[in-house]
Amino acid sequence: MSSSTVRPENQEQDRGRDPLAEQDVARRLLDSAAKLSYDPTTEVDWETPLDPEHHGASPEWSTLYATAYWNELTEAQRKALTRQEAASVASTGIWFEMILQQMVLRDMYAKDPTDPRFQWALTEIADECRHSIMFARGAAKLGAPAYRPRRPVVELGRAFKTLAFGEAAYAAILVAEEVLDVMQRDWMRDERVAPFVRTINNIHVVEESRHMKFARDETRKRLRDAGAVRRQFNAIVVAIASYYIVTSMVNRDVYANAGLDPVRARAEARVNEHHKSLMRSSCSGLMEFLASARLLTKPALFFYKRASLI
């Protein structure tokens, strides 16, 4: 597996940029999108049948890797499991990308369409639409059902997309994108992973890097004049959203669908220290950003620790 679990962070700090500087960031993002964007309908090989000899994700990222149960599995069972887990991550990505699109669109409602930030926001929404279709087709090709978060989480997401605004919306967007980004950087370089999955991951990593830049900038900007109470409130909102995003990535049904004992698999996955350590190391840059934005408060830390992000 490649050694990309800690992605280099943009360490730029908030310098109180003026609107012209913020527009310049958006213009550069638009220029980048014009030069380097992909059409998944033509870039991904959808026609070649799935080869069961391939994994769906790097085995080291499996929720059962390094457990006693993993050691008992055949290679075929391990590959079947990582395919189901990758499909579940993709399905969770679709769920959150739909939340993201609505929050960004609501944020830009009735704003100046000549502003490069407005135009970039629509570009990002267009990217997310393509990504969601790409993830859906990828999950279907992996032979997985339609994995969805549990009903209470779906309803919490419905409330969040309706009520979250400003820095809470953009920081939550950043959390979801950062966590996916790190694991997908490993998968896209791993020759054990199915080629079409690696292509999907590469497309997502390249295009989401621009989305993360915008989310970081928007989070800093919205927090520029925020008081202590507002920061405390938004810190806990983002932490709760992060907890449910991360804990929904691998659906509890993946084990049964991979032909495993679901009760034993879930029990061993819950206490898998290898997977928890991998999640923590992958989120170190994200936690540094949240700390720099003063969103890593004591109440927020409770949820990040429960999700094994810190």
Side-chain angles (χ1 to χ4, degrees):
M1 184 176 71
S2 63
S3 58
S4 61
T5 53
V6 181
R7 189 178 53 77
E9 269 299 297
N10 181 348
Q11 298 297 323
E12 178 188 7
Q13 300 298 310
D14 180 10
R15 304 181 188 279
R17 288 189 295 250
D18 58 32
L20 291 177
E22 290 162 4
Q23 289 180 0
D24 185 58
V25 169
R27 286 192 189 94
R28 283 188 274 117
L29 292 173
L30 286 166
D31 289 343
S32 175
K35 294 174 183 174
L36 188 59
S37 290
Y38 299 94
D39 179 358
T41 60
T42 57
E43 294 287 343
V44 180
D45 179 5
W46 301 114
E47 301 304 320
T48 303
L50 174 68
D51 183 351
E53 292 302 309
H54 283 116
H55 284 275
S58 295
E60 292 82 357
W61 276 95
S62 174
T63 54
L64 287 183
Y65 184 83
T67 64
Y69 199 3
W70 178 268
N71 293 334
E72 296 173 17
L73 299 179
T74 66
E75 274 301 303
Q77 288 175 313
R78 293 172 179 176
K79 290 168 182 174
L81 174 60
T82 61
R83 290 197 295 269
Q84 292 297 318
E85 288 176 321
S88 178
V89 170
S91 296
T92 303
I94 295 168
W95 167 67
F96 193 76
E97 285 183 342
M98 293 184 73
I99 293 174
L100 179 161
Q101 290 169 52
Q102 294 178 72
M103 291 193 298
V104 173
L105 193 59
R106 190 179 70 244
D107 186 49
M108 291 296 155
Y109 176 72
K111 291 188 176 177
D112 180 2
T114 67
D115 187 334
R117 291 176 57 255
F118 179 95
Q119 295 167 26
W120 164 254
L122 294 187
T123 301
E124 179 169 338
I125 291 169
D127 287 347
E128 298 297 4
C129 286
R130 291 196 308 275
H131 294 169
S132 294
I133 295 169
M134 175 176 72
F135 284 161
R137 293 185 69 178
K141 186 165 180 175
L142 284 167
Y147 289 114
R148 296 183 182 91
R150 289 172 295 141
R151 174 53 59 181
V153 178
V154 170
E155 296 307 320
L156 283 171
R158 194 187 306 279
F160 182 73
K161 72 178 177 58
T162 303
L163 301 173
F165 63 94
E167 60 271 16
Y170 283 101
I173 288 170
L174 183 62
V175 169
E177 291 176 341
E178 291 263 5
V179 172
L180 274 176
D181 179 77
V182 174
M183 65 176 66
Q184 288 182 328
R185 284 175 184 266
D186 278 343
W187 302 357
M188 73 184 195
R189 296 167 180 157
D190 192 337
E191 293 185 357
R192 297 169 296 178
V193 175
F196 81 94
V197 175
R198 295 173 63 195
T199 303
I200 288 172
N201 292 330
N202 182 69
I203 291 171
H204 197 247
V205 164
V206 169
E207 297 186 348
E208 288 295 329
S209 66
R210 296 188 286 262
H211 301 183
M212 290 187 289
K213 168 64 177 172
F214 188 65
R216 283 192 293 267
D217 278 26
E218 287 297 307
T219 300
R220 290 193 184 102
K221 185 186 76 172
R222 306 305 175 96
L223 285 170
R224 193 172 294 155
D225 300 316
V229 173
R230 179 172 155 187
R231 282 182 186 270
Q232 288 284 334
F233 175 77
N234 282 311
I236 193 69
V237 168
V238 172
I240 293 170
S242 302
Y243 172 80
Y244 285 111
I245 292 166
V246 171
T247 57
S248 297
M249 280 189 169
V250 177
N251 191 285
R252 59 189 287 127
D253 294 335
V254 299
Y255 307 109
N257 291 332
L260 309 187
D261 175 350
V263 175
R264 181 184 175 188
R266 288 197 296 268
E268 295 203 24
R270 275 195 299 270
V271 295
N272 186 353
E273 287 302 323
H274 169 83
H275 193 262
K276 291 179 181 180
S277 175
L278 197 58
M279 291 296 292
R280 284 192 295 269
S281 64
S282 71
C283 291
S284 60
L286 170 63
M287 293 300 122
E288 287 175 14
F289 172 80
L290 293 175
S292 73
R294 289 183 286 165
L295 291 175
L296 212 56
T297 61
K298 186 173 290 187
L301 282 171
F302 170 79
F303 289 96
Y304 292 123
K305 288 178 180 178
R306 281 201 67 185
S308 299
L309 298 183
I310 198 169

